[in-house]
Amino acid sequence: MPQCTCPHTKADSLPTDPSQMVSVEINGKRNGHTNGTTNGANGHSTPRDQQRRNPYAPRASDFLSNISNFSIIESTLREGEQFANAFFDTKTKIAIAKALDAFGVEYIELTSPAASEQSRADCEAICKLGLKAKILTHIRCHMDDARIAVETGVDGVDVVIGTSSFLREFSHGKDMTYITKTAIEVINFVKSKGIEVRFSSEDSFRSDLVDLLSIYQTVDKIGVNRVGIADTVGCANPRQVYDLVRTLRGVVGCDIEIHLHNDTGMAIANAYTALEAGATHIDTSVLGIGERVGITPLGGLVACLYAANPEYVKAKYNLPMLREIENLVAEAVEVNIPFMNPITGYCAFTHKAGIHAKAILNNPSTYEILKPEDFGLTRYVSIGHRLTGWNAVKSRVEQLGLKLTDDEIKDATAKIKELADVRTQSMDDVDSLLRVYHSGIQSGELEVGQKEALDRLLKAHRESQLGDNESASAPVPVVAAA
Amino acid sequence: MPQCTCPHTKADSLPTDPSQMVSVEINGKRNGHTNGTTNGANGHSTPRDQQRRNPYAPRASDFLSNISNFSIIESTLREGEQFANAFFDTKTKIAIAKALDAFGVEYIELTSPAASEQSRADCEAICKLGLKAKILTHIRCHMDDARIAVETGVDGVDVVIGTSSFLREFSHGKDMTYITKTAIEVINFVKSKGIEVRFSSEDSFRSDLVDLLSIYQTVDKIGVNRVGIADTVGCANPRQVYDLVRTLRGVVGCDIEIHLHNDTGMAIANAYTALEAGATHIDTSVLGIGERVGITPLGGLVACLYAANPEYVKAKYNLPMLREIENLVAEAVEVNIPFMNPITGYCAFTHKAGIHAKAILNNPSTYEILKPEDFGLTRYVSIGHRLTGWNAVKSRVEQLGLKLTDDEIKDATAKIKELADVRTQSMDDVDSLLRVYHSGIQSGELEVGQKEALDRLLKAHRESQLGDNESASAPVPVVAAA
């Protein structure tokens, strides 16, 4: 077995005798703490509150930061519809909308009702659900679209404009920004219906900065609720995002939304950094599905914001629902949850069979950052999963001190996988099964390949467990829930 | 069909008559370009070089940036061994090492030879391969480990130390930094063998900053090639990474390596930002496999660095090999390539059937950022993939203007999926098949379910294509390559 990832010099292997230590002068500078408060055995004072501070929390100096003050605009039913495999029928859209609402996202965005009669009907149907979340949609800058949209009952409308075509045609280098009468008409019309108006553009990181800021300054003055920028090609990097959002933050008074594609895998980090810079709304989709590799995934975003401020995020969202929502959408679009998905991926909390998580973290002031229990998950599922390999089971067999041949282990593994197809097995489940299998082999009641004999032994074991302990921890196969 | 993602006000729908425009004063400020160089029809001068500038390129003001000057330390055979499903035998390790070398990574890191006899033997075997890449391994700060390691033939050794236990025990608030005689002995011993020495620690973002900088300053003075920091819990954010690396950059003269876990999905972005701050070496693994959700994935990192400086990355690495390497490792650890994997994921370059990628990018100064051809890939594979649904095929049928019933479409889809099991079909392949199918139906030569008739028609079509055009573009099924 390969060694633990980053072996340390253990504290007890350091010499206790200073004569074993060598001093190295570093330009006459002092090292370590210099406040001379204590001279305890370790020569340092380490205030308890310093040990408990979350190193991933937003920095006090980031007075613009909205890491603990943001909203999610969930766009599975708009951006997600652009995903190669997405063909949501009305029933599925409603199921997804309800699940997202139960999770707690502040906004749910839908495909434009002007796109097709079906889109319009679905938009209306979802608006009628009476969800807590606000329902949004988007339209071209056109009164026909606006009229259709407001009639569906949405709570907000996004008017999307073209940055490059906006000013260049008409500004003539004067002191004024020209804006189409239509745009004003659309904005005012939507506002007159008492619903939110957003203005957004595309490909912001490749747009002329001056054009972009002019447009947003203009619409801010006219009175929109929010402006939106987008990394359409999915290649922006975090500091670039920070700079643009921060700059925009100083130009408009309204909210700032950001839509980030994930072609280079940086969408979560870009979203985080955008919030640090003062953005207020982040577009997401479940598993990030959308055009090409999609956008900021809901789960990944929630994970990093939870790391920064777990209490805020736990209060805002129903975290244990995350897995259920991802399974719902994954099934609808026929993809597998990526094995390395934050939080809900196959191996998010797994380690090689038997290695306790804490053994990895040697820092004595450790506290867990990502607590699987907060997401309704447990650790150590790697060998109770249908993807389990017999080698992983063999490691566990060895750790339990049981003696089984490779054939016996493969046989037991097949049973584990079969049970795991119904419900992922916990480490306890697997340990029980291995012990029962081992006893069966030892006593002669069981041989390799004897499925019925094994089932009998497992059943007898469960019944004796239920007799001993009325708790629900016995490995009874149930139809897989979330 | 849902509408294209972000519809714009099209240029030709803007009013040509200024009386249709309304001026909005913005605090008397000027908007748009003010250099008054031209007064062409659009009122702006837009220098051609400005249009062609890569907006994702490293910034000139980032004089620390190593975005175009870095090395990859590929750790599939060290961090990757910690992945839940990883049980590499020697043959597989050698295959992976050779593939990584052919790809062009500068370093390949292996599990400590002191971990087990097998690890030692494998380390030796890989060192004997004569690869271009430098072979590295890591050890505890112990002479026994060091002796084993240097005998294997590695080009470099990483000595891992515990940050928290290092200084606190012994510094006593003096002007000196105490360091164990053993550490000096180990470093000097390794250096005496003419190989690289790195010093790294774990959980850097939760370590006392002063301790950390003291240690690194000390070992830098003693003379190591490189120091390494790590985000062990995978929760660090980009600006936090930037700050720590930049600070360290000002303290040590040696190289700086960073090891980033991916629990909150930010490892790629953190790696990118670390390079901007002056890091020189990034640890990766293929598909990011490693402990829990692993570390910075090789493919994702290469994607974002390619976006920043494509010529540099293309010259450095054999990009078309990426897919092959990912398939090799995915198979070895029994996972699927995530559907949204940058570059090589199922949908990385796909759009809804038939929508040309450029339709998405409305910015007139567009140029492709991620070119699939540079990675040996093509676009539009969504309907030529074995995961294709008949709905996707139906969309394409409609776009081609062909008339087929749903049953006929499902029948054609079955044939596409069958061909795609052998080799993913291009859009041309699919279009050909649909046209042949449609002709067959129209002419009465074909009915639903007539597999042999369809095969005959397809064969005849291919032969006529080869007759017309000797190129290899005819959809001849071949055994799937990379």
Side-chain angles (χ1 to χ4, degrees):
Chain A
M1 283 292 291
Q3 206 170 355
C4 169
T5 314
C6 300
H8 280 179
T9 308
K10 298 267 186 287
D12 60 3
S13 69
L14 285 168
T16 46
D17 178 0
S19 70
Q20 286 296 313
M21 302 298 279
V22 168
S23 66
V24 176
E25 186 161 335
I26 315 287
N27 302 325
K29 287 186 189 153
R30 294 180 69 89
N31 291 290
H33 293 289
T34 59
N35 58 10
T37 46
T38 74
N39 243 352
N42 62 9
H44 281 289
S45 68
T46 317
R48 278 197 74 75
D49 62 301
Q50 199 167 344
Q51 280 180 317
R52 300 199 68 77
R53 182 179 57 84
N54 177 359
Y56 307 104
R59 283 172 279 188
S61 58
D62 265 352
F63 57 89
L64 291 175
S65 177
N66 282 322
I67 290 295
S68 302
N69 183 21
F70 61 88
S71 295
I72 285 177
I73 295 180
E74 230 298 324
S75 196
T76 298
L77 297 177
R78 202 272 292 175
E79 178 68 47
E81 288 230 85
Q82 297 306 118
F83 175 56
N85 276 8
F87 296 97
F88 299 133
D89 58 18
T90 308
K91 182 161 155 267
T92 305
K93 287 182 189 174
I94 286 176
I96 291 173
K98 285 180 167 175
L100 290 172
D101 190 53
F103 182 75
V105 296
E106 291 80 7
Y107 295 86
I108 292 171
E109 190 181 36
L110 307 177
T111 296
S112 173
S116 66
E117 171 49 30
Q118 189 61 57
S119 295
R120 196 204 58 74
D122 291 340
C123 187
E124 230 178 50
I126 290 170
C127 289
K128 285 195 167 72
L129 293 176
L131 302 176
K132 285 192 322 293
K134 291 187 188 173
I135 311 299
L136 304 175
T137 190
H138 73 100
I139 59 169
R140 296 169 305 168
C141 189
H142 202 286
M143 278 303 294
D144 291 345
D145 284 20
R147 283 188 201 100
I148 295 174
V150 303
E151 291 306 313
T152 56
V154 290
D155 301 296
V157 168
D158 177 20
V159 184
V160 185
I161 57 172
T163 323
S164 53
S165 58
F166 191 89
L167 278 182
R168 288 184 192 162
E169 305 306 306
F170 298 99
S171 69
H172 305 297
K174 291 184 197 308
D175 292 325
M176 314 286 186
T177 299
Y178 284 93
I179 183 171
T180 61
K181 281 184 176 170
T182 312
I184 291 185
E185 195 184 353
V186 168
I187 294 174
N188 287 332
F189 173 70
V190 172
K191 283 172 72 176
S192 72
K193 299 290 177 181
I195 63 184
E196 290 184 24
V197 176
R198 314 145 53 195
F199 233 71
S200 65
S201 69
E202 180 169 82
D203 220 3
S204 313
F205 296 90
R206 299 199 296 178
S207 298
D208 181 274
L209 180 64
V210 180
D211 283 349
L212 197 73
L213 296 178
S214 299
I215 292 159
Y216 290 141
Q217 189 177 48
T218 305
V219 299
D220 184 36
K221 197 165 174 68
I222 290 170
V224 292
N225 297 82
R226 190 159 59 248
V227 294
I229 58 177
D231 174 17
T232 305
V233 290
C235 297
N237 59 68
R239 288 167 71 236
Q240 175 177 28
V241 169
Y242 185 87
D243 284 355
L244 182 59
V245 173
R246 199 174 190 296
T247 301
L248 184 57
R249 179 73 282 164
V251 166
V252 300
C254 59
D255 286 340
I256 296 172
E257 170 183 349
I258 191 161
H259 181 90
L260 296 151
H261 277 260
N262 206 12
D263 297 65
T264 52
M266 300 200 278
I268 297 172
N270 286 343
Y272 186 95
T273 311
L275 287 173
E276 288 184 315
T280 55
H281 293 69
I282 307 289
D283 288 7
T284 68
S285 65
V286 175
L287 296 173
I289 61 164
E291 191 73 31
R292 300 183 315 279
V293 293
I295 61 174
T296 310
L298 175 66
L301 179 67
V302 165
C304 72
L305 292 168
Y306 163 96
N309 192 338
E311 296 313 313
Y312 175 70
V313 172
K314 282 197 291 188
K316 238 164 138 40
Y317 304 116
N318 183 350
L319 301 182
M321 272 200 73
L322 180 62
R323 189 178 216 181
E324 179 185 325
I325 289 175
E326 288 187 345
N327 284 341
L328 175 67
V329 173
E331 198 179 305
V333 301
E334 296 176 279
V335 295
N336 293 318
I337 307 279
F339 71 93
M340 23 56 82
N341 208 39
I343 310 294
T344 58
Y346 161 57
C347 53
F349 293 108
T350 63
H351 310 274
K352 285 292 198 189
I355 299 176
H356 194 285
K358 279 199 154 52
I360 306 301
L361 305 171
N362 273 315
N363 188 323
S365 65
T366 192
Y367 49 91
E368 282 186 319
I369 307 287
L370 298 177
K371 291 187 166 71
E373 301 76 34
D374 283 346
F375 292 85
L377 302 170
T378 57
R379 286 183 190 280
Y380 312 134
V381 297
S382 73
I383 70 170
H385 194 281
R386 56 185 163 74
L387 293 187
T388 289
W390 73 274
N391 276 299
V393 177
K394 182 171 177 174
S395 304
R396 189 55 182 166
V397 164
E398 286 166 359
Q399 281 157 8
L400 291 174
L402 305 173
K403 296 264 181 293
L404 291 171
T405 65
D406 282 358
D407 282 341
E408 288 160 359
I409 292 170
K410 288 174 185 175
D411 196 34
T413 303
K415 186 65 191 171
I416 292 170
K417 287 158 83 84
E418 184 193 307
L419 291 172
D421 265 340
V422 177
R423 172 180 68 86
T424 298
Q425 304 292 293
S426 70
M427 188 66 106
D428 285 341
D429 295 334
V430 171
D431 287 352
S432 288
L433 187 147
L434 293 174
R435 291 200 162 97
V436 165
Y437 193 98
H438 181 256
S439 306
I441 294 282
Q442 296 282 306
S443 68
E445 287 175 284
L446 182 64
E447 279 176 33
V448 171
Q450 292 179 342
K451 289 174 175 284
E452 285 174 14
L454 178 56
D455 283 342
R456 264 200 316 274
L457 290 171
L458 288 170
K459 185 163 185 261
H461 175 78
R462 280 199 300 276
E463 281 159 9
S464 71
Q465 288 284 98
L466 284 167
D468 294 345
N469 178 0
E470 295 279 327
S471 83
S473 59
V476 177
V478 292
V479 174
Chain B
M1 282 289 291
Q3 205 170 352
C4 168
T5 314
C6 300
H8 281 178
T9 307
K10 299 268 186 292
D12 59 5
S13 70
L14 285 169
T16 46
D17 178 359
S19 69
Q20 285 297 311
M21 303 295 281
V22 169
S23 67
V24 177
E25 187 163 332
I26 315 286
N27 301 323
K29 287 183 189 154
R30 294 181 71 88
N31 293 292
H33 293 290
T34 58
N35 59 10
T37 45
T38 73
N39 243 351
N42 61 10
H44 281 285
S45 70
T46 317
R48 279 198 72 77
D49 64 299
Q50 197 167 349
Q51 280 180 318
R52 299 199 68 77
R53 183 179 58 84
N54 178 359
Y56 307 105
R59 282 172 278 189
S61 58
D62 266 352
F63 58 88
L64 291 175
S65 176
N66 282 322
I67 291 295
S68 302
N69 184 21
F70 61 89
S71 294
I72 286 177
I73 295 180
E74 230 297 324
S75 195
T76 298
L77 297 176
R78 203 270 292 171
E79 177 68 48
E81 290 230 82
Q82 297 307 119
F83 176 55
N85 276 8
F87 297 96
F88 300 134
D89 58 19
T90 307
K91 182 159 153 269
T92 305
K93 287 183 191 176
I94 287 176
I96 291 174
K98 285 180 167 175
L100 289 172
D101 190 53
F103 181 76
V105 297
E106 291 80 6
Y107 295 85
I108 292 171
E109 190 181 36
L110 307 178
T111 296
S112 172
S116 66
E117 170 51 30
Q118 189 62 59
S119 294
R120 197 204 57 76
D122 290 340
C123 188
E124 229 178 50
I126 290 170
C127 289
K128 286 194 167 73
L129 293 175
L131 302 177
K132 287 194 319 293
K134 290 186 186 174
I135 311 300
L136 304 175
T137 190
H138 72 100
I139 60 170
R140 297 170 304 169
C141 188
H142 202 287
M143 279 303 294
D144 291 345
D145 284 21
R147 282 187 203 102
I148 296 174
V150 303
E151 290 307 313
T152 56
V154 289
D155 301 295
V157 169
D158 178 20
V159 184
V160 185
I161 58 172
T163 322
S164 53
S165 56
F166 191 90
L167 279 183
R168 286 184 194 164
E169 304 307 304
F170 299 100
S171 69
H172 305 296
K174 291 187 200 302
D175 292 326
M176 312 285 189
T177 298
Y178 285 94
I179 183 171
T180 62
K181 281 183 177 172
T182 312
I184 291 184
E185 194 184 354
V186 168
I187 292 173
N188 286 333
F189 173 71
V190 172
K191 283 173 71 176
S192 72
K193 301 289 180 181
I195 62 182
E196 291 185 22
V197 177
R198 313 143 55 195
F199 233 71
S200 63
S201 69
E202 182 170 80
D203 221 3
S204 312
F205 296 90
R206 299 199 295 177
S207 298
D208 181 276
L209 180 64
V210 179
D211 285 349
L212 197 73
L213 296 178
S214 299
I215 293 159
Y216 290 142
Q217 189 176 48
T218 306
V219 300
D220 183 37
K221 200 168 174 63
I222 291 169
V224 294
N225 298 81
R226 192 157 61 247
V227 294
I229 59 176
D231 175 17
T232 305
V233 290
C235 295
N237 58 69
R239 287 167 72 238
Q240 177 178 26
V241 169
Y242 184 88
D243 284 355
L244 182 60
V245 173
R246 198 174 191 295
T247 300
L248 184 58
R249 179 72 282 165
V251 165
V252 300
C254 59
D255 286 342
I256 295 172
E257 171 182 348
I258 189 162
H259 182 90
L260 295 152
H261 276 260
N262 206 12
D263 297 65
T264 52
M266 299 201 276
I268 298 172
N270 284 343
Y272 186 95
T273 310
L275 288 173
E276 287 185 314
T280 54
H281 293 67
I282 306 289
D283 288 8
T284 68
S285 64
V286 176
L287 296 173
I289 61 165
E291 190 73 30
R292 301 184 315 279
V293 295
I295 62 174
T296 310
L298 175 66
L301 180 67
V302 166
C304 72
L305 293 168
Y306 164 95
N309 192 338
E311 295 313 312
Y312 176 69
V313 172
K314 280 197 292 188
K316 238 162 136 42
Y317 304 118
N318 183 351
L319 300 183
M321 273 199 73
L322 180 62
R323 187 178 217 181
E324 180 187 325
I325 289 174
E326 289 187 346
N327 284 342
L328 174 67
V329 173
E331 198 179 308
V333 301
E334 295 178 276
V335 295
N336 293 319
I337 307 278
F339 71 93
M340 23 54 83
N341 208 39
I343 308 296
T344 57
Y346 160 58
C347 53
F349 294 107
T350 62
H351 311 273
K352 286 292 199 189
I355 299 174
H356 193 286
K358 280 202 154 49
I360 307 301
L361 305 172
N362 273 314
N363 189 323
S365 67
T366 195
Y367 48 90
E368 283 185 319
I369 306 287
L370 299 177
K371 291 185 166 69
E373 300 77 35
D374 283 345
F375 293 86
L377 303 169
T378 56
R379 285 182 191 280
Y380 313 131
V381 298
S382 73
I383 69 171
H385 194 280
R386 58 185 162 75
L387 292 188
T388 290
W390 72 274
N391 276 297
V393 176
K394 182 172 176 175
S395 304
R396 189 55 182 166
V397 163
E398 288 167 356
Q399 282 157 8
L400 292 173
L402 304 173
K403 296 264 182 295
L404 291 171
T405 65
D406 283 359
D407 282 342
E408 287 159 358
I409 291 171
K410 288 174 184 174
D411 195 36
T413 303
K415 186 64 191 175
I416 291 170
K417 288 161 81 84
E418 184 192 309
L419 291 172
D421 265 338
V422 177
R423 171 180 68 86
T424 299
Q425 305 292 293
S426 70
M427 188 67 105
D428 286 340
D429 295 333
V430 170
D431 286 353
S432 288
L433 189 148
L434 292 175
R435 291 199 163 99
V436 166
Y437 192 100
H438 181 256
S439 303
I441 294 282
Q442 296 280 308
S443 67
E445 288 173 283
L446 181 66
E447 282 176 30
V448 171
Q450 291 180 344
K451 289 175 176 284
E452 285 174 18
L454 178 55
D455 283 341
R456 264 198 317 272
L457 290 170
L458 288 170
K459 184 165 187 258
H461 175 76
R462 280 197 301 275
E463 282 160 6
S464 72
Q465 287 286 101
L466 285 167
D468 293 344
N469 178 2
E470 294 280 325
S471 83
S473 60
V476 178
V478 292
V479 174

